[in-house]
Amino acid sequence: MSEPDYPVGSVATTFRIIEAVNDLGEAGITDLSEQTGISNSSVHKHLDTLQSLGYVRKDGTSYSLSMRFLGIGNQVRSQRELVQAAKPAVDSLSSTAGAVTNLMVVEHGYGVYAYRATSGTTNMNSYLPVVGDRVHLHATAGGKAILSQMDWNEITAIIDANGLPKMTDKTIDSRDVLRRELRSIQDRGLAFERGEHLPSVQCVAAPITTADGPVGSVSVSGSIDQMSGKKLEEDLAGLVVSTTNEIELELFRD
C-alpha cells in the first residue's frame, strides 16, 4: 500500500515518530527506525528537534514523550468540557435575549469563538467572526472579560506577543488605559464593547472562572440600535452574569 501524499511530509514523519514513541513507551533510535521504516538519521533529527521543543525526553540512548503532551491534552479536554457544559446555557441566553451569544476561550493569547447560538430574529451573523475564528482579546468584550481575571504579568506577555492593534478608532491601544479598564471590569464582573472590534457592534460579556483561573467568557452581541442604554448595561448584563454563574456551577458539578 502506498503512503498518502501529505501536503507537508516532514510533519507526517514527525507524528509517525511521536506515535511510535508512544506505542513503545521508551525506545532508542534503531527501535524507532524499525517501527516506522524511517532511516536512523531522520529519526535522530526529528527526535532532537522534539527534545529541543520540550516534547521528548532523552535518558541515555532512549527517548520517551514528555509531560508537555499531557498539558496540551488537558487543555483540549477542558475546553471540550467547557463547550459541553456551556451549550445549554448559551442557547437559553440567546433565546431569552433574542440576540447572538458567544462562548469564547483563549488559545495562544487570542480569543477563539468556541460556540455560538443565534436568535431566529437576528441578522448579526453576517457581521461577526465565524466560530473557530480568533480575535485580539483587548478589542472584544469577551476577551476583556477573560483578561480581567488574569495576572498583569500574564497580560503583559500576551501584549508583548500579539500587540494591541487598533481595530477601530475606539479600540484601546494603550497598556495603561487597558489596565485601568481591566480593573474596572474585575470590580463589576462585566465587560462592555462599544464599537471596539467592529464599528457597528456592541457587546456585554462576563468571565467564566474556575479554581484554576479564567477558562472562557460568554457575551451577547448586537447592533448599536439593538443594544444600548439600560438594555445593554442592566437587562442583558444581568442575563449574562446569570448564565456564566450557571456554567460555573455545571463545571464544578463535573
Side-chain angles (χ1 to χ4, degrees), residues 140-198:
T140 63
K144 290 189 295 182
I146 294 170
L147 288 174
S148 73
Q149 305 301 303
M150 291 183 178
D151 180 86
W152 182 248
N153 289 332
E154 293 180 83
I155 298 168
T156 298
I158 290 173
I159 296 172
D160 288 343
N162 302 335
L164 291 173
K166 206 164 179 63
M167 314 303 292
T168 73
D169 60 0
K170 295 183 179 179
T171 308
I172 296 173
D173 60 353
S174 160
R175 294 186 186 220
D176 290 339
V177 174
L178 179 62
R179 192 169 192 176
R180 290 196 295 271
E181 171 81 353
L182 295 179
R183 285 173 179 165
S184 177
I185 293 169
Q186 187 175 44
D187 288 341
R188 65 178 178 246
L190 285 164
F192 293 95
E193 174 191 334
R194 296 180 172 89
E196 296 160 55
H197 183 246
L198 296 168

Side-chain angles (χ1 to χ4, degrees), residues 40-57:
N40 281 17
S41 60
S42 183
V43 168
H44 187 263
K45 289 177 182 178
H46 283 268
L47 288 172
D48 272 355
T49 302
L50 288 166
Q51 184 183 3
S52 298
L53 292 171
Y55 288 98
V56 162
R57 296 172 60 249

Side-chain angles (χ1 to χ4, degrees), residues 44-110:
H44 187 263
K45 289 177 182 178
H46 283 268
L47 288 172
D48 272 355
T49 302
L50 288 166
Q51 184 183 3
S52 298
L53 292 171
Y55 288 98
V56 162
R57 296 172 60 249
K58 183 179 181 182
D59 184 12
T61 59
S62 295
Y63 295 84
S64 59
L65 300 183
S66 78
M67 295 294 284
R68 190 164 186 184
F69 283 101
L70 178 62
I72 292 173
N74 282 338
Q75 183 179 12
V76 172
R77 184 176 65 180
S78 66
Q79 289 180 354
R80 288 182 176 175
E81 289 174 350
L82 173 60
V83 172
Q84 293 306 311
K87 281 176 69 174
V90 172
D91 288 340
S92 177
L93 175 60
S94 178
S95 178
T96 302
V100 174
T101 59
N102 294 294
L103 172 67
M104 179 182 285
V105 299
V106 179
E107 286 187 351
H108 307 299
Y110 291 92

Side-chain angles (χ1 to χ4, degrees), residues 17-40:
I17 294 170
I18 288 171
E19 289 170 354
V21 175
N22 184 57
D23 290 341
L24 297 174
E26 186 174 318
I29 290 173
T30 300
D31 290 335
L32 291 168
S33 177
E34 292 175 354
Q35 177 86 352
T36 60
I38 300 168
S39 69
N40 281 17

